[in-house]
Amino acid sequence: MYLFILGRQPELSLAELGAVFGDVETVSPQVAVVRTEQTPDIDRLGGVRKVGRVISSQPKDVNRFLLDYFQDKPAGKLTIGISQYGKGATADGGRKIGIYLKKQLGRSVRVLPNSGAEISDAAALGNKLGSTPNKVEILIVYTKNGPLIAELTGVQNLNFYTLRDRGRPKRDARNGMLPPKLAQIMINLASAGNSGRDTWLFDPFCGTGVVLQEAILMGMNAVGSDINAKMIDFSGQNLTWAAEKFHLNQQFKLSTADATTQKWTQKPNLVVSETYLGQPYASSPPLEKLNENITTCNLIIEKFLRNLHDQINLETSICIAVPAWYTSGKNWHLPMLKDIEKLGYKRLNKNLIYHRDEQIVGREILVLQKV
């Protein structure tokens, strides 16, 4: 059984875990549990900050259990971090556990300081917690049924994400910047965590190639197109950079094409894309202008889905991001979403929104199946 510390938008994290692992149990607002014996690969999960293997459920005495647990660790210096979650989790509680262990273990122990209830992701990564038996982060979740204790097996590599996002040779803020983490989540929602060298992912609005990059990093082959030839040039440079930087040999193909009329020579296994998000806004637009933007986006995405329908198999998995708008205390969504069945698709997921408070344009994530 494994414990997952969820990302900034837990509903997206839970949807990703459900797609990859099946049944997921939420044990606190930040934490979910999956009953699996296979160690999860956190590098393939965009919505998860930390993963830990559950080592005790409802111990009578947390301190005593951890003392016995650490007694069995190999000889040598111990580095320990204590993170707590759920109701009753405090920085002081973690410090007291650390002091107790340091005093009672009778060996060289370094307990990491923490200003909050948990060790930060950066501190866990910087101290290589979870990398060896003697560099340990203990995750304690206080649930209604008692404490749940896990040992960290992986932490999200922030530096790797920054490199994949900001280290690429070509970026274009005017056309939006899909976060690599969200691209990973969308790929997992479509693929259910299953991919391999025979998998072909297609992104018909590929922009600078973020989805394609994450696909080849996950072992898939990728096909991308965009109506803007400049974006295809940028994607080509970025994918070539990623292949060289990370020693990848997956195939990728790029072409300039209009997603609403394009005819594909190859049927993809997966379609994953951030579609046209319309005009970006730095401040709230007049309602008339917003309605014009919504109408334009709705028309383009509807045409794309109609064009896609007859070119894919029934088993082709689809996950797309479409725009949603948040302004003046209200929110707006694409009108076509109310009649998605008329376009020949079934929506498989509940409402999933990727949105920051300061943003006007958010992303609504759709998992679709051709019918």
Side-chain angles (χ1 to χ4, degrees), residues 125-165:
L125 190 65
N127 286 279
K128 300 181 179 179
L129 299 183
S131 64
T132 72
N134 282 17
K135 292 181 180 292
V136 181
E137 181 175 355
I138 294 297
L139 311 173
I140 304 172
V141 187
Y142 296 103
T143 76
K144 62 182 180 181
N145 297 320
L148 196 63
I149 303 178
E151 179 176 346
L152 184 79
T153 59
V155 60
Q156 203 170 63
N157 192 328
L158 307 177
N159 298 327
F160 192 22
Y161 281 107
T162 299
L163 177 61
R164 280 144 59 184
D165 186 19

Side-chain angles (χ1 to χ4, degrees), residues 1-3 33-34 52-57 148-151 153:
M1 184 162 62
Y2 282 83
L3 179 153
V33 167
V34 171
R53 179 177 58 86
V54 174
I55 56 177
S56 180
S57 178
L148 196 63
I149 303 178
E151 179 176 346
T153 59

Side-chain angles (χ1 to χ4, degrees), residues 26-47:
T26 305
V27 294
S28 90
Q30 293 176 272
V31 185
V33 167
V34 171
R35 297 182 184 279
T36 178
E37 297 301 320
Q38 185 176 357
T39 303
D41 183 357
I42 194 169
D43 291 333
R44 296 175 66 94
L45 296 170

Side-chain angles (χ1 to χ4, degrees), residues 222-235:
V223 179
S225 66
D226 199 282
I227 198 169
N228 188 338
K230 178 183 176 182
M231 293 296 99
I232 292 300
D233 176 56
F234 281 13
S235 281

Side-chain angles (χ1 to χ4, degrees), residues 15 43 45 73 77 103 118 132 156 167 175 194 219 228 230 290 294 303 313 323 326 333 364:
D43 291 333
L45 296 170
K73 290 293 182 182
K77 184 176 180 178
K103 181 178 180 181
E118 69 168 335
T132 72
Q156 203 170 63
N175 285 281
N194 298 315
N228 188 338
K230 178 183 176 182
L290 176 61
I294 292 173
K303 283 184 174 181
N313 299 319
Y326 297 81
H333 302 268
E364 186 163 0

